[in-house]
Amino acid sequence: MRTLSGDPSATPLSFDRLVVVETARQGDYEPLQPDVILAFHELCLVRDDREWFMGQLDDDGSVICWASYGSDLAEAIRSL
């Protein structure tokens, strides 16, 4: 993960946080139930139901995702 991303500080995060993804309707969010959360500075990759979502880590520790990047972790990391 660190080698592929080029981020030596990349780290897994705990699940004790709110994780949501924006929906097609402006301003609406859907909760995610992640089984993996990876942080790359303020960006995160979140896996929910075998799909990787990219988002941002907020100051309160929550993660707001904006899009799915598919099921391939290496491809999602390259999209960071």
Side-chain angles (χ1 to χ4, degrees):
M1 166 178 81
R2 291 179 180 132
T3 301
L4 186 59
S5 70
D7 183 352
S9 68
T11 187
L13 296 178
S14 66
F15 305 121
D16 61 342
R17 64 191 70 243
L18 175 66
V19 181
V20 296
V21 64
E22 290 181 279
T23 65
R25 287 187 52 198
Q26 187 74 11
D28 281 350
Y29 298 93
E30 180 180 312
L32 295 176
Q33 301 297 316
D35 60 351
V36 177
I37 304 173
L38 304 174
F40 304 85
H41 293 286
E42 71 278 349
L43 292 179
C44 291
L45 288 173
V46 174
R47 187 175 69 184
D48 179 86
D49 196 27
R50 296 177 293 202
E51 192 171 347
W52 289 99
F53 293 84
M54 189 174 299
Q56 181 171 337
L57 184 62
D58 281 351
D59 292 337
D60 67 0
S62 63
V63 179
I64 310 297
C65 297
W66 53 79
S68 168
Y69 283 72
S71 61
D72 186 318
L73 175 59
E75 190 63 33
I77 288 173
R78 284 191 284 276
S79 298
L80 287 169

